[in-house]
Amino acid sequence: MRVRVDRSLCRGHGVCCVNAPDIFHIDENDQAFVEDEEVPSSRHEDARMGAQNCPEMAIEISG
């Protein structure tokens, strides 16, 4: 599974970080990002929860 944050949509609510703080991070501009787009299978559900709860729908999951 690959996860990507569309930073043009992200408003820095941080909901994704609450659901998966080891996958999603907030930068100095209060925008979410992922350090590694490849998410291990043991973390797929948390990545999905982060994406589903994003108020801006800024997180894309593929694979």
Side-chain angles (χ1 to χ4, degrees):
M1 166 188 282
R2 294 181 65 82
V3 176
R4 190 181 74 76
V5 177
D6 183 338
R7 294 169 59 83
S8 70
L9 296 175
C10 179
R11 299 292 173 252
H13 297 286
V15 178
C16 57
C17 296
V18 171
N19 285 287
D22 57 327
I23 298 171
F24 301 101
H25 308 280
I26 298 290
D27 69 11
E28 64 278 351
N29 296 317
D30 293 328
Q31 287 190 304
F33 70 96
V34 292
E35 287 185 9
D36 185 1
E37 291 185 359
E38 284 293 327
V39 177
S41 60
S42 62
R43 305 297 293 148
H44 285 187
E45 186 58 31
D46 292 329
R48 283 189 193 97
M49 288 297 294
Q52 290 170 355
N53 289 296
C54 177
E56 306 301 333
M57 310 259 316
I59 301 170
E60 178 184 316
I61 294 179
S62 60

